[in-house]
Amino acid sequence: MVVPDDCGVGNARYGSTIDAEGTFGIYISAGRSWLYSSLPHEFGHTFGLAHAHSQDCPVTDLGCDRISDYGNRYTPMGYGSSGNSAFSSFNAFELNRLGFLADDEIPTVELADDQATVTETIELRPIGGEDFANPRGLRVVAPDGRVLWLEYRDGSGIDAGAQYTNFPEMFPAGVVVTEQTSESDAVALNFVSSDDPEQIQFAMPVGAPWHSGDITAEVVTVAGGTATVRITVADPDREPTQAPSSAPTQVPSDAPTQAPSSAPTQVPSSAPTQVPTSAPTQVPTSAPTQVPTSAPSEGPSSSAPTSEPGTPEPTDGSGSSTTPGDNSSGADHGSSTGGSLADTGAGSIAVLIAGLGALAGAALTLRRR
């Protein structure tokens, strides 16, 4: 329903969700500025959105409990739709509640059951961008259950000419952090300006890590139409799970591998190789060579025949022996002695030849072998 200006700005029945059944009603002032800017705000109420709050804290008391009801100028559910300014895009929390940003289109950083800490770096696209490129929002869940929503505002697309662009000192372009306080409520968090330490602003300064309980957030860069943020969630009460996972892996892999592989390889290879090569080579070579060589040379040769005749009898100067009283027998005796010498010389020659033959036979035998 459109009403005259003097009836007020506008009003709407607060609904639950965009899919909820039932009746609803809206009345809006007929004035052009209020009609244009209040329409998305009142429809937001009808589809289950509350006012977009903000912290109302001074620099000296950041994180205070004072809240400004319409304080978030980045969204139509706050002061983002007022006067002649164009209305801006709803924020990430509101778009998710309305169903325009599905859960699988919003990255979520939270601890898994077996984690004590997790860090992720994510590149955000402008939430008001007309190409609707994702990710346009980021959800962070703290160990205590708190939920933070992050989005990047740069005054482009749907946000062109939006109300917040008229207040760059307090509502500059950048990454905005909103804390969800209920199913339909959220509060924009404020920070100290990087340009003026006495100035509050509602966008995170670049390169300045911000801590909120178990969550640490930092805007790493803002360039090329994107903002890169690094988020760490840690729970100091959780025990790290890395120590027990490494011990079982290392112990069983070393012991079975080394023990059985070395013993069978070294023992059988050395014993059979050394013993058989030395014994057969030395024994047969020396025994046959020495025995046959000495036995034949000692047996046949004897000095007994040459030494038995004893002392020669006296001669008469002619080489014949003389026996007193018997001159005739001298010739016979001399003849007998000469024959004995001849026989003895012949025997010695025969023994020598036999020895030489034995040596030759032994040499031939050894050669054949």
Side-chain angles (χ1 to χ4, degrees):
M1 176 187 299
V2 179
V3 299
D5 286 349
D6 57 2
C7 291
V9 176
N11 199 354
R13 178 176 294 178
Y14 183 73
S16 55
T17 67
I18 197 171
D19 298 321
E21 297 180 0
T23 60
F24 64 90
I26 299 174
Y27 76 84
I28 300 175
S29 170
R32 179 186 177 280
S33 63
W34 293 114
L35 179 65
Y36 180 73
S37 60
S38 296
L39 190 60
H41 178 98
E42 302 306 336
F43 266 110
H45 284 317
T46 301
F47 297 140
L49 300 181
H51 287 153
H53 313 302
S54 71
Q55 285 182 327
D56 188 16
C57 305
V59 174
T60 57
D61 190 20
L62 288 181
C64 72
D65 294 333
R66 292 197 301 273
I67 301 297
S68 173
D69 189 23
Y70 292 88
N72 188 350
R73 291 182 181 269
Y74 290 105
T75 166
M77 299 312 296
Y79 281 120
S81 57
S82 62
N84 290 319
S85 299
F87 61 85
S88 59
S89 167
F90 291 99
N91 63 30
F93 161 69
E94 295 163 346
L95 288 176
N96 177 254
R97 179 163 172 76
L98 293 173
F100 294 116
L101 269 181
D103 288 341
D104 59 1
E105 294 178 310
I106 302 176
T108 299
V109 182
E110 64 180 325
L111 292 176
D113 292 339
D114 59 347
Q115 288 181 313
T117 182
V118 62
T119 298
E120 292 191 25
T121 301
I122 298 172
E123 187 178 81
L124 294 174
R125 305 296 298 273
I127 196 167
E130 292 182 337
D131 58 356
F132 301 107
N134 288 318
R136 289 180 287 160
L138 170 63
R139 177 170 43 208
V140 183
V141 181
D144 61 5
R146 289 182 307 123
V147 179
L148 302 182
W149 297 79
L150 281 72
E151 65 202 49
Y152 173 44
R153 299 275 184 171
D154 70 344
S156 67
I158 298 174
D159 281 2
Q163 228 268 348
Y164 73 84
T165 61
N166 299 323
F167 301 90
E169 294 83 10
M170 186 173 289
F171 297 92
V175 175
V176 180
V177 181
T178 303
E179 181 173 352
Q180 182 177 342
T181 55
S182 72
E183 186 180 16
S184 58
D185 252 341
V187 178
L189 306 183
N190 56 8
F191 306 89
V192 177
S193 170
S194 56
D195 299 326
D196 184 356
E198 297 182 359
Q199 173 66 50
I200 287 292
Q201 67 179 41
F202 286 89
M204 290 182 63
V206 178
W210 170 74
H211 305 279
S212 176
D214 298 328
I215 299 174
T216 300
E218 179 184 0
V219 179
V220 181
T221 59
V222 175
T226 62
T228 301
V229 296
R230 181 183 298 118
I231 306 295
T232 298
V233 180
D235 187 352
D237 296 330
R238 291 191 185 185
E239 293 293 334
T241 56
Q242 297 179 358
S245 63
S246 60
T249 305
Q250 296 175 0
V251 173
S253 61
D254 291 341
T257 305
Q258 296 178 0
S261 62
S262 60
T265 306
Q266 296 177 1
V267 173
S269 62
S270 61
T273 306
Q274 296 176 1
V275 174
T277 51
S278 61
T281 306
Q282 296 175 2
V283 174
T285 311
S286 60
T289 307
Q290 295 174 3
V291 174
T293 312
S294 61
S297 59
E298 292 176 3
S301 61
S302 176
S303 60
T306 55
S307 60
E308 283 296 323
T311 303
E313 297 180 4
T315 61
D316 56 1
S318 64
S320 301
S321 60
T322 56
T323 302
D326 189 358
N327 293 329
S328 62
S329 62
D332 293 338
H333 183 75
S335 174
S336 174
T337 302
S340 297
L341 292 173
D343 291 341
T344 300
S348 298
I349 293 172
V351 171
L352 180 61
I353 292 173
L356 291 176
L359 288 174
L364 181 60
T365 301
L366 290 175
R367 184 175 182 182
R368 287 177 179 176
R369 289 183 181 179

